[in-house]
Amino acid sequence: MKAEIRQKMYSQTLLKPDGRKLTLYSRYPIDEGIIAPSPSDEPVGANPHLRWHPLRGEWVAYASHRQGRTFMPPPEYNPLAPTIDPKFPTELPPGKYDVAVFDNRFPSMTLGATDAPVSIVDTLPANGACEVVVFTQDPNAYLSTLELDHLELLLQVWSDRTRVLGDSPQIKYVLPFENKGVEMGVTLLHPHGQIYAYPFVPPVPARMLEMQQKYYQEHQRGLLQDLIQKEIEDNQRILYLDEEAIAFVPVCARYPYEVWIAPIQPAATFLDLTEKQRQGLARALKTVTLKYDGLWHRPFPYLMAWFQAPTDGSYHPEAHLHAEFYPPYRTSDRLKYLAGTELAAGMFANDALPEDKAKELQAVRVNLAMPLAL
């Protein structure tokens, strides 16, 4: 009975004084009567817009109000920690819950955006959504230190947010991601990620889907599904493998310590995952982040992005949910800078072989039941 209770997700949606929504998620029942705080009672007045880039064929978002967003506050003014003194409210209330999701106070897109300015190029209101996902109330935690069932809950949260955001007819793609570390431009060190929900499929996932669609039409199988089988057969770059999930340094890695996590059998979105797949992905996620943090015995920075099918109401048998990690370091003390060939030409040049970096990560021993001491 205890295991069944721990697998259930409880949630509670509240309204902040400034009009933004806050949803609390937990492995256990959430107390009634929790009041959603906000650092400010003033309604968010953001009105971002999009401008068309004619040479690249893509949209660019403009959100000048983001210049005033919170930047590296001291620990005693952590806006992502639960409120202690009601006179100095943060974004989160006190109480028993595991994960919190709220509307970003400084969004690059908002469903209420209107009246894009007239320009010499096409413009549109930036009708999307930007949410903050606080992984835990503990300001000193990382994904690597969270319990496995907490990570399973996080996967359920990403599923629920995909459902909620994707239900809007304005939203066509939902992208959960985490920027970890100051090297990735993080301005709030409390463990958290974000979700961007776009009114179109952005260029990178659009290109991935184009390649997957072409492959599926030719083979009636998924592109990533077959690549995963080849990685399993090759057995050089695998970091985690069970019956449901896999983590590996891809043979085509663009970053020295790049890692992908995926269910072995295709699932188009978080909503399509089985309970066993979520359990496998949670173990893979913890394994990868433990190996990252254990590699040089310090918190390991990265961008983690989860790619899934569009929320356009169409059937996408070609899509295969997966995460890609882009770490900024190429050695323990040298960053992998994106410069001439990467930024100007769009072609990555990797200074290390994926097989060599996989061996380094494979050599890091981890225990999923024990926290890592850094």
Side-chain angles (χ1 to χ4, degrees):
M1 177 62 72
K2 183 178 181 181
E4 292 177 1
I5 294 175
R6 290 174 70 87
Q7 291 167 2
K8 182 175 177 60
M9 180 179 74
Y10 297 87
S11 66
Q12 187 177 131
T13 299
L14 308 168
L15 195 65
K16 289 174 168 288
D18 58 9
R20 292 178 296 137
K21 288 183 179 180
L22 166 69
T23 303
L24 306 177
Y25 294 92
S26 179
R27 294 165 286 178
Y28 309 97
I30 301 173
D31 293 336
E32 297 294 332
I34 294 179
I35 298 175
S38 177
S40 172
D41 292 346
E42 294 294 324
V44 175
N47 191 31
H49 70 276
L50 306 173
R51 298 185 186 183
W52 183 250
H53 192 307
L55 290 179
R56 296 180 65 96
E58 61 192 37
W59 292 103
V60 181
Y62 293 85
S64 57
H65 61 278
R66 283 175 55 81
Q67 290 286 2
R69 65 187 186 273
T70 308
F71 181 82
M72 299 299 284
E76 61 268 26
Y77 295 108
N78 177 4
L80 300 185
T83 297
I84 298 176
D85 186 347
K87 295 180 181 179
F88 301 98
T90 66
E91 292 284 10
L92 300 187
K96 189 175 182 180
Y97 56 89
D98 295 309
V99 177
V101 179
F102 60 86
D103 297 330
N104 198 322
R105 284 181 66 204
F106 307 97
S108 298
M109 298 174 289
T110 175
L111 292 175
T114 59
D115 304 323
V118 176
S119 175
I120 62 172
V121 295
D122 291 340
T123 64
L124 287 173
N127 291 136
C130 297
E131 296 185 335
V132 177
V133 183
V134 182
F135 297 151
T136 171
Q137 295 189 36
D138 183 357
N140 300 311
Y142 302 101
L143 289 184
S144 60
T145 66
L146 298 182
E147 296 175 345
L148 284 171
D149 58 356
H150 195 136
L151 293 176
E152 289 179 41
L153 174 70
L154 180 57
L155 289 160
Q156 288 180 283
V157 169
W158 284 327
S159 174
D160 192 55
R161 300 321 300 168
T162 298
R163 177 188 61 81
V164 171
L165 294 167
D167 279 347
S168 169
Q170 295 172 289
I171 299 303
K172 298 297 185 289
Y173 196 85
V174 178
L175 178 74
F177 63 91
E178 179 197 10
N179 294 318
K180 178 187 172 188
V182 294
E183 297 90 341
M184 302 304 299
V186 172
T187 59
L188 294 173
L189 298 182
H190 192 109
H192 72 287
Q194 299 184 64
I195 299 175
Y196 272 32
Y198 302 86
F200 52 84
V201 181
V204 171
R207 178 60 171 163
M208 289 184 183
L209 286 164
E210 178 186 353
M211 300 304 295
Q212 290 176 93
Q213 288 169 349
K214 181 180 178 181
Y215 188 92
Y216 192 87
Q217 289 170 359
E218 294 176 356
H219 302 279
Q220 297 302 301
R221 285 178 56 84
L223 173 57
L224 184 53
Q225 180 183 11
D226 282 355
L227 179 60
I228 286 172
Q229 290 304 315
K230 291 178 181 178
E231 288 283 2
I232 293 174
E233 292 168 7
D234 194 39
N235 196 28
Q236 291 192 67
R237 293 166 295 274
I238 296 174
L239 304 182
Y240 177 86
L241 179 65
D242 64 19
E243 293 182 354
E244 302 294 341
I246 185 172
F248 58 98
V249 177
V251 66
C252 52
R254 298 180 303 162
Y255 292 82
Y257 291 99
E258 182 173 340
V259 171
W260 295 4
I261 294 175
I264 293 176
Q265 294 302 315
T269 73
F270 285 103
L271 292 161
D272 300 301
L273 291 172
T274 67
E275 183 176 348
K276 288 186 177 180
Q277 284 178 316
R278 278 200 305 270
Q279 292 171 349
L281 288 173
R283 295 178 68 86
L285 179 57
K286 188 171 178 71
T287 298
V288 169
T289 51
L290 278 171
K291 283 179 175 289
Y292 273 161
D293 289 345
L295 183 62
W296 299 317
H297 302 286
R298 68 185 196 227
F300 192 91
Y302 55 72
L303 162 63
M304 173 187 66
W306 285 87
F307 297 100
Q308 55 184 333
T311 56
D312 56 5
S314 299
Y315 179 50
H316 288 278
E318 78 284 354
H320 195 139
L321 170 74
H322 70 287
E324 297 189 9
F325 287 78
Y326 309 142
Y329 280 100
R330 55 190 177 93
T331 67
S332 63
D333 58 355
R334 295 182 181 180
L335 290 168
K336 162 66 177 175
Y337 290 105
L338 302 188
T341 187
E342 291 90 359
L343 292 181
M347 191 197 81
F348 275 65
N350 196 336
D351 299 333
L353 291 175
E355 294 74 28
D356 293 338
K357 293 304 179 182
K359 289 179 182 177
E360 291 183 41
L361 291 170
Q362 287 166 346
V364 179
R365 296 186 177 275
V366 301
N367 186 338
L368 300 186
M370 296 291 291
L372 180 70
L374 297 176

